[in-house]
Amino acid sequence: AATAARDLAGSNVRVRTARRLATVWAAHVDSPTTITMPAAAAAPLTPRELEVASLAALGMTTREVADELEVSARTAQTHLHRAYAKLGVHDRESLAARLASS
């Protein structure tokens, strides 16, 4: 029963996350299966970096992102800083603008 409850809770987190990310990713979709990345990215973002960056761009704090994705705040911060470096931005405002413009 405990395992089933954990699985259900994890599923609900993934659904909420998917709904939030759909808002951000909608601007990046060329086709139902392709997400475009900013042209100036030194290296493509990993799926997790894109997920964290997208949630941060929605205005979520690092703690909120970590809670949403069920990771530590330090892990969320690491993914965010790697995304900053790859996208050539230094803050969340620039990150949101960069994701919105690509």
Side-chain angles (χ1 to χ4, degrees):
T3 302
R6 256 193 326 273
D7 290 346
L8 181 58
S11 176
N12 288 338
V13 168
R14 286 188 292 275
V15 169
R16 286 193 316 269
T17 301
R19 286 181 183 148
R20 284 192 177 130
L21 291 175
T23 303
V24 174
W25 289 353
H28 302 284
V29 175
D30 291 332
S31 70
T33 58
T34 303
I35 297 175
T36 60
M37 293 306 302
L45 297 181
T46 66
R48 194 57 145 188
E49 289 167 349
L50 181 57
E51 193 173 28
V52 169
S54 297
L55 291 173
L58 287 173
M60 294 177 76
T61 65
T62 301
R63 177 82 254 159
E64 291 169 336
V65 171
D67 290 345
E68 181 72 26
L69 300 177
E70 297 181 340
V71 298
S72 73
R74 180 68 179 130
T75 298
Q77 190 68 36
T78 297
H79 288 303
L80 188 58
H81 280 282
R82 287 182 179 162
Y84 282 178
K86 289 179 180 181
L87 297 173
V89 299
H90 301 288
D91 56 40
R92 289 170 192 253
E93 189 174 302
S94 300
L95 174 67
R98 183 61 178 261
L99 290 175
S101 70
S102 26

